[in-house]
Amino acid sequence: MITTYISYIFSLLAIVFALSTIFQRNPVYSAASLIVVMIALAVNYLILNAEFIAAIQVIVYAGAIMVLFVFVVMLLNIKEVTKKSEQLSKGRLFGIILSVLFGIQLIVVALSAKTIITKGDILKYAGMDSTRIIGKVLFSDYLLPFEVVSIVLIVGIIGAVVLAKSKE
Amino acid sequence: MDFQIYVGIILFLIGTLGFVIRRNIIVCFMCIELMLNSVNLIFVTYSHQLKSAIGLMYAFIIMAVAAAEVAIGLAIIIMIHRLKNTVDMDQLNILKG
Amino acid sequence: MEQIPILSIVTFFPLIGVIILLMIDRENYGVQKGIAFIVTLINFFISLYVLYHFKEDTASMQFVESYPWIEKLGIYYFVGIDGISVLLFMLTTFLCPICILCSWTYIEKHVREFLIAMLFLEVGMLGAFIALDLFLFYIFWELMLIPMYFIIGVWGGKRRIYAAIKFVLYTLFGSVLMLIAILVLYFYVGSKTGVYTFNLLKLYETLAPYEVQVWLFAAFALSFAIKVPMFPLHTWLPDAHVEAPTAGSVILAGVLLKMGTYGFIRFAMGLFPHATQAATPLFVTLSIIGIIYGALVAMMQPDVKKLVAYSSVSHLGAVMLGLFSLNSQGIEGGIYQMLNHGLSTGALFIMIGMLYERRHTRLIEDFGGLTKAVPIFAVFFMIVTLSSIGLPGLNGFIGEFLIFMGAFKANKLWAVFAASSVILSAAYMLWMFQRVMFGPITKEENKNIKDLNLREISLMVPVILLFFVMGIFPNYFLNKMHTSVNSFIDRYNKSIAITTSQLEKQGIIKGGE
Amino acid sequence: MTELNINFWTIAPQIVLTIFGFLLMLIGSATRSKNFGNLHLIAVFGFLLALVANIYTMGNRQLGFSNMVMVDDLSTYFNIIFFISGIIVSFVSEGYIDGKIKHKGEYYALITFSVLGMTFISSSLDFIMLFLGLEIMSFSVYVLAGMFKKDIRSAESALKYFLLGSFSTAIFLLGIALLYGAFGTTNFAYMLQTYTKYFETEKSINLIAGSSLVLTGIIFKIAVVPFHMWTPDVYDGAPTSVTAFMATAVKASAFLMLIRVYLIGLRPLVFDVAGVIAILAIITMTVGNLSALPQKNIKRMLAYSSIAHAGYMLVGFVALNQISLSAIMFYLFSYVFMNVGAFTICSLFEKEGVGCELSDLSGKGFKHPFLGLMTVIFMFSMAGVPPTAGFIGKFYIFTGAIQSGYVSLAIIGVLNSAISAYYYLRVLVYMFFKDYEGGVSPNVLYPSTAIGLVLSAVGVLALGVIPGFLFNAATQAFTFLF
Amino acid sequence: MFNYIAAIPLFPAIGALINGILGTRFPKSLVHIIALTAIGSSFALSVKAFFQLLSLPPDQRIIEVTLYQWMASGDFSIDVAFLLDPLSAVMLLVVTGVGFLIHIYSTGYMHHDPSYSRFFTYLNLFVFAMLLLVMGNNFLMMFVGWEGVGLCSYLLIGFWFDDHANASAGKKAFVVNRVGDFGFILGMFMIFIIFGSLKYSDVFSRAESLLPYGGIMATAITLLLFVGATGKSAQIPLYVWLPDAMAGPTPVSALIHAATMVTAGVYMIARCNVLYSLAPFSLGVVATIGALTAIFAASMGLVQRDIKKVLAYSTISQLGYMFLGVGVAAYSAGVFHLMTHAFFKALLFLGAGSVIHAMGGEQDIMNMGGLRKHIPKTFLTFLIGTLAIAGTPGLAGFFSKDEILWQAFSSPHGHPLLWAVAAVAAGMTSFYMFRLTFLTFFGKERMDEHTKHHIHESPNSMVIPLMILAILSVLGGYVGVPEALGGSNHFHHFLDPIIKKVGKAEPHHYSHALEYGLMLTSVAIAVVGFILAYTMYIRRPDLPERLANNFQGLYKLLFNKYYVDEIYEFIFVKGCKNLGTLLWLKFDVPVIDGIVNGVGKVTMYLGENVRKIQTGYIQHYIVGILIGVVVVLGIFIF
């Protein structure tokens, strides 16, 4: 039961900091809030028996990716722009309404969704913990995606190099 | 049904909302990360619920992809900043009409 | 017996000219023109083979060629010719060398490109007349647009761009709907018979029910009516004619407009007899309005070319009236009038072009008393004018007479209204002629314009001769049509009988009254 | 499933492309200072090899990598589209990017990787592969769009594409997540089985919501209205050769996704989807055409027109019969030729940083007859006038639509195509009808660009005159559905 | 086998062809040799044909020559074929005979004209067309000739096209004729619908069985054909072109607008006598129109000042007589008058031409006077013509006119009122013809000195035809001396075979005494006319002016031809032009083309607005995507 409460707490934390992310004036604070969200999610992953995911969530996401964000924010020395134009705020208002509508739809979906299948393939790996399972699956059924991810990363690297390189 | 699904959806919604209201490109980009995270949460939750490993695979791969995405995205932002000295989205409307 | 694919040879022969032209030095205009002329002339002579070997006693398609093209959809390269199309086919091959001759000096820039466009145009036009596969027909039908678009747009007058775009878009709007109708018919017939085909002759055999026919007919008719052009879809024509260079106008009036009327008889009316019957009042009304309206508007035009353009509206209205009379006089008269209009209006445009080359104006008020300065021109112009107003002994009369007779047979009132065009056409043409050619020479520039040179005379003479031949010995031409037209009418009547009985069965029409 | 089911033949073209991608990067960086001018040939060679490999795998349906990939006629034919697009784009790129982009090796590598991503999409039998292929392709194109680093338009284009693309990817992923929740799997084959097992009577809302979110992700790539708004800006700002690539190969892959997802994985839902797409198709082609009408910038005009073309192709999807689906494939094929050609023409007349205005073309048609002729061919093909591939493509599409009884859709389609004729022909108006006023002469026509143009033109005309073989092949590819 | 009859029209055609193509290169003598040979041969052959016909028994006097099938379509077919029967033989003789004389005359009259060859081309062409008209064996051939003569008339009226007035007159003639042709062609169609053929023999032989007497079809056919006749023969309401047609060279006026072409309508009605006899109502219309035209035109002729105009109105008036004749079913009387009229009216016109020639182109009779001393031969022949037309007993005009008057009175279709109108018209004729003669040849010489100095008698080539015609005008009547005057009326008997007696109306039987009485009355009226003219123009030359002043309104009305031209101009010409302008500028351009262009503009406008959505702001695009997502999702889940 305690896990449930922890889960609640961290979920709430995630939501609060998510809101903080989008409402912070300073991008650095936003980034920091996002890190909190990610860590809170990592806790949830733990509770959902996904230890490995929780780990890389912290390492890759909260660690590497967000650091990159903060680094760029600092590098560019970005300050929040305050100027506002009338036309845009109308557009934004419309956008807000729409995203709320979208959210309502999603929540309706989630509320009325019924999970029919309860016996997934995980049963094949009965007794293993999730990390092992991930390892098993990743190098059997998900071998090709796993390899292909490397190409995604290569493309990312090329992109970063090509675009961000300032002097030829 | 695990409640984390709702959390995921709310986070996704917040990401969307953030993208809509913020003009700072980097913050918007963060919102996208937030959305990806929320999707990850949903995947993991479903994986837990369905006793299926596939959700975990997705979470894993999405993270990798997100990393690449961040690399490219930040590079583009740097490029923009270098050319325009701003990260305000509203300043970027040369292309229109 | 394996016969030579003469129709394809004639149709695609101009492409040889295109290839030769592409290999020639860009600046060598004389040789280019010569080649184009010779190619089209040879093509005309080759096409005489078709005329010579054409059998008058059969209504079936002749010189048929059929090769699978897109078998999956039942599309064939299927061509053939019958009494309805053979003369139009010949008209095309006849007019093309003349057009090239008449643009000998008119076209000053991009000569080679112009000639290539003309040759392509010939391919498109010939193809459209021989195509018996709906898809193939549509291809050629659209194919004609491209060179014509360029001919108007590149070598045209001041408002050429507007005119060219208007021409293409207007035509395109009509034809795309026809494409849909073709497809609907294709699937309808396919689902009925199990044979999916675009073969016109096969499609003739299966009649769609009345409700389907009406829509399909509407789509076909819209497309063709724009091309004809029927009132009130005619406004592209004056613009296109006025702006097009002489050869363009000649081809436009001579052949392209005939595509519309030809399309009506071959496709719209042939495929959808019952809808034709139902639509007859509408089309006849529009034709008659067109006849009178075109004439009245033509009368007041300040620009000779525009005048002739509106007169085309009037003439083509008569053709349509003939076709919709749906008796042999009307239809044969209609076809005959297509030829006449092609020749006489074509000749009018040629002559106006000659004037334009000399004076760089087409406004009637800029002329006057030209007969004194250019007597030979005057004679030709007079004959052409007379042919256009349907003087007996010249070609125009035969067509008009048969049309009015056919119309009279169908409904007396139609003929009464339509025949009023004999008065109006005389009025506007002769008035124009008077203002251009008669009276004192008021403008200094008109005094010294040159009379026709040998080239111009030699290009007019065959046309003029043909006027007389067609006026005095029309039977030679009419004989070629009889069997086909009669079989068309037979089929039409039979189909009407069939569909009527079907409808009676369904209780849509009450029979026995 | 303990035994690994690995079938390397199923990813043979991908392997070739990966190798060539790296090779291009290596050679590119090695020769950067020497301004090596034949990288595009290497790329072309790579694509040709991949094409050979692809054709080699043609034939029976093959599964590989634990049902992650499936190679069938559909995928191989679509791969051919991608490769041809890659080849022609590579040909025409060299002249365009020469001197403007230093990272030529990366440029070609990215195109290669992008095509690689597409090939993964085409042979994917699992959402994960689809997603990865999509991301490889998208990331490459994001970068390619921003390759003109000095050009703010290029940068803006890249940013817009990137942000909006990522946003839609997120939605796409959410959709996959929901589907996963419904099915417990993301493999198309298993999804079908599960569906017949559980959802035949009552569709789960997860399933429906997931499929619609996936749909939005896909039609974002297709640029369906209202998801189209990135298209004109991105196409306009990106380097023109990249735009050509985006408008053809990327669009083709998006259609492929649509077909793959909704005709295999979510097949039972396809009729619902088609109903929605019918409406979207109408809006898409109309908005695309209407917006293209007043454009003065050719590139932008072509961008809008590509939206309209997507609308026509969607009609083919709506009709959902063998003819109409084959028609989509045929259309995409012909679209590769004519659109790459058109964008290349545009690139040749482009002024740096401004793009290609209609007025720049005044009288150029006769001044530069080769380009003029090419423009004529491409524009008429785009407008759908015979005897070009564009016409045949539209013909097939509408044939299919009518076969399924969507006459009104077909009518709207053809009327739209008539509207579109206006702006296509306006290009010719400027090129041929206006008088030559001097002005900027076109950029140097590299031999490779000329080859690319000729290839495109030949493709357009060949498909226009003898469309049968390709159409037969296309129908062949869809036989599995019927 | 080629029959020589077919050669009759062919000769002029060949003549026209040769002169037309090569005439400008030929010397003038060669030109007229060709033209004269052509028409001369025609004339010779016509005479031969006439005698061949005479040699046959009366009921077999029909020779048909078919050349080839002209056109065929469905159940319609028509041949190019010629018919020689008494009626066409008479017409042949008149056309080729008078035509030949006028050709000769023209060699003198047109000698100085630069367009000499053109003139003869047209003349030959005209004869060709006229011969087709009279020789065709079917309605269509007649129509071909009908239109052909119209064309030649057009060309010849506008012969001196330098002046717009001439060209306009030609155009007017053609267009007005076309109005008539419009009726004619419809009449033909109706005939075809009923008879299935346009051949005379088919139509006339079956007319009685297919058309009920007095039925609507017969009436419609005949009235429609009569519309054609009113155009060609210048009857009310389509007579307006003929006075203007005087713009052409005078020989043309003589040949076309007096002797031959304008009588085509009479010929046509005579030819279709069976049909007309079946339609008594139409006959009534024809007769009434004829009588009205006769008096109406005559009244206009009273005050004209142009020598040719007077003759033109006289022609109209005389044509009215002819129609009156045929309108009371006295077909042979009509044709008889046609023939005699051809002689004396040709004579008068040629005489007038001679006067004009002598006066150097002056046509206003107020500027003439006293010419009899200068050009005596012309004067003499002109006087004979005047006497003939005025109906002086013993001359040609007397017999034919009186026959018509008598028939108008006595025929079953006649009416005393018709007779009275015609008799008054005869008086007017007498008046204005003598007025003309007196003003031209008598009294003071009112021309200026320069003209006077140049007055000379015309060359022989002009005078000889005058003389021949004068002789014919004197003697021509004797072929048809009525029985009442002791003649045997050869002419009527000759024409009898072609005139079928149909209908129920029995002819009244009047005594010869009544006939004499009427004859005397009409002569008396003519004499009154003469005396009036003599009084006014010889004895009291100031009288006309005073009269004109006293009755200014009437005078002006007459002088301006009842303003009919103006009314027509206003209603038809202006009406058409205004309608045309209206349709063009107020309908075609703004409405029809406006809609077309409007569609384009609206589309463009939509495009301009749709593209405004594309603001360039990323967040707007996101909104777009969100709209899409929400809508798609909404559609699916609800």
Side-chain angles (χ1 to χ4, degrees), chain A residues 2 4 40 42 64 76 85 88 91 111 137 141 164 167:
Chain A
I2 186 85
T4 318
L76 301 181
S85 70
L88 285 176
L111 280 175
V137 177
D141 289 354
K167 286 278 184 311

Side-chain angles (χ1 to χ4, degrees), chain D residues 122-406:
Chain D
S122 76
S123 55
S124 61
L125 194 64
D126 194 309
F127 266 119
I128 191 84
M129 285 310 297
L130 192 79
F131 169 68
L132 282 172
L134 174 68
E135 289 299 278
I136 295 173
M137 175 187 84
S138 303
F139 288 173
S140 312
V141 178
Y142 297 154
V143 179
L144 282 170
M147 277 298 242
F148 281 173
K149 289 158 61 185
K150 302 270 175 56
D151 184 355
I152 180 65
R153 293 157 57 86
S154 177
E156 187 180 327
S157 149
L159 181 78
K160 280 179 172 166
Y161 197 16
F162 174 76
L163 281 180
L164 296 169
S166 307
F167 185 77
S168 84
T169 307
I171 293 177
F172 182 69
L173 272 176
L174 182 62
I176 296 176
L178 292 178
L179 284 176
Y180 170 61
F183 286 114
T185 175
T186 57
N187 189 294
F188 297 155
Y190 302 144
M191 278 160 82
L192 255 179
Q193 290 169 11
T194 317
Y195 187 91
T196 40
K197 215 192 255 171
Y198 297 103
F199 301 116
E200 209 69 88
T201 47
E202 194 200 348
K203 286 169 190 156
S204 150
I205 195 161
N206 260 12
L207 166 62
I208 291 166
S211 93
S212 54
L213 288 180
V214 167
L215 178 68
T216 60
I218 293 170
I219 60 182
F220 171 85
K221 284 283 178 229
I222 299 179
V224 173
V225 177
F227 302 88
H228 71 293
M229 296 172 95
W230 57 276
T231 322
D233 292 1
V234 172
Y235 283 15
D236 190 6
T240 309
S241 51
V242 177
T243 310
F245 184 69
M246 279 196 272
T248 56
V250 175
K251 189 152 281 190
S253 68
F255 270 98
L256 180 61
M257 283 198 272
L258 194 64
I259 292 166
R260 271 285 185 226
V261 171
Y262 288 98
L263 287 179
I264 301 179
L266 297 171
R267 193 161 168 198
L269 291 173
V270 74
F271 289 105
D272 303 333
V273 171
V276 175
I277 287 185
I279 303 162
L280 292 178
I282 293 172
I283 301 173
T284 301
M285 52 193 167
T286 313
V287 168
N289 277 322
L290 285 179
S291 312
L293 274 183
Q295 298 300 332
K296 292 274 183 282
N297 183 322
I298 298 176
K299 208 164 152 189
R300 215 171 165 76
M301 184 268 278
L302 287 174
Y304 277 114
S305 95
S306 79
I307 297 173
H309 281 286
Y312 305 138
M313 288 186 252
L314 285 178
V315 171
F317 183 79
V318 172
L320 276 177
N321 54 49
Q322 199 162 6
I323 292 178
S324 78
L325 291 173
S326 327
I328 296 181
M329 203 163 111
F330 186 93
Y331 203 110
L332 286 167
F333 246 107
S334 56
Y335 194 61
V336 167
F337 290 119
M338 60 194 185
N339 218 20
V340 173
F343 274 114
T344 307
I345 295 288
C346 180
S347 78
L348 284 169
F349 286 99
E350 196 170 292
K351 284 173 291 188
E352 213 160 329
V354 189
C356 175
E357 295 286 320
L358 272 175
S359 52
D360 296 339
L361 293 179
S362 293
K364 297 274 166 65
F366 285 114
K367 195 84 185 162
H368 309 283
F370 173 71
L371 296 182
L373 179 66
M374 291 296 138
T375 318
V376 170
I377 294 172
F378 298 136
M379 287 303 151
F380 273 112
S381 181
M382 301 277 255
V385 177
T388 55
F391 168 71
I392 304 284
K394 283 198 179 107
F395 172 75
Y396 282 144
I397 292 272
F398 297 129
T399 307
I402 287 168
Q403 192 185 20
S404 295
Y406 289 100

Side-chain angles (χ1 to χ4, degrees), chain C residues 106-121:
Chain C
Y106 190 97
I107 301 300
E108 287 163 343
K109 56 174 186 182
H110 313 311
V111 173
R112 184 173 66 166
E113 288 79 359
F114 177 79
L115 296 170
I116 290 174
M118 288 298 291
L119 292 173
F120 263 116
L121 192 57

Side-chain angles (χ1 to χ4, degrees), chain E residues 276-392:
Chain E
Y276 278 88
S277 297
L278 285 168
F281 177 76
S282 305
L283 276 180
V285 171
V286 173
T288 314
I289 295 268
L292 281 179
T293 310
I295 191 162
F296 189 68
S299 71
M300 287 187 279
L302 294 176
V303 295
Q304 297 303 318
R305 295 167 55 135
D306 183 318
I307 184 167
K308 287 178 74 181
K309 283 263 166 79
V310 176
L311 291 177
Y313 284 106
S314 155
T315 306
I316 298 172
S317 170
Q318 295 298 315
L319 288 166
Y321 274 111
M322 296 175 211
F323 278 100
L324 175 61
V326 294
V328 295
Y331 305 106
S332 53
V335 176
F336 185 34
H337 193 58
L338 183 161
M339 186 181 81
T340 57
H341 175 258
F343 297 147
F344 57 70
K345 190 49 67 60
L347 170 60
L348 286 169
F349 263 115
L350 295 186
S354 184
V355 170
I356 295 165
H357 191 71
M359 296 287 294
E362 178 62 57
Q363 296 196 5
D364 190 343
I365 49 175
M366 292 307 165
N367 296 335
M368 298 180 184
L371 285 177
R372 66 176 186 279
K373 285 161 287 182
H374 301 285
I375 42 173
K377 291 176 199 160
T378 306
F379 164 64
L380 212 63
T381 49
F382 197 88
L383 188 66
I384 293 172
T386 310
L387 290 172
I389 196 173
T392 314

Side-chain angles (χ1 to χ4, degrees), chain E residues 41 46 66 182 239 255 315 352 354 364 369 431 497 505 536 573 591 624:
Chain E
S41 320
S46 303
T66 306
F182 167 66
Y239 69 90
L255 178 62
T315 306
S354 184
D364 190 343
F431 172 78
M536 282 172 71
V573 181
V591 179

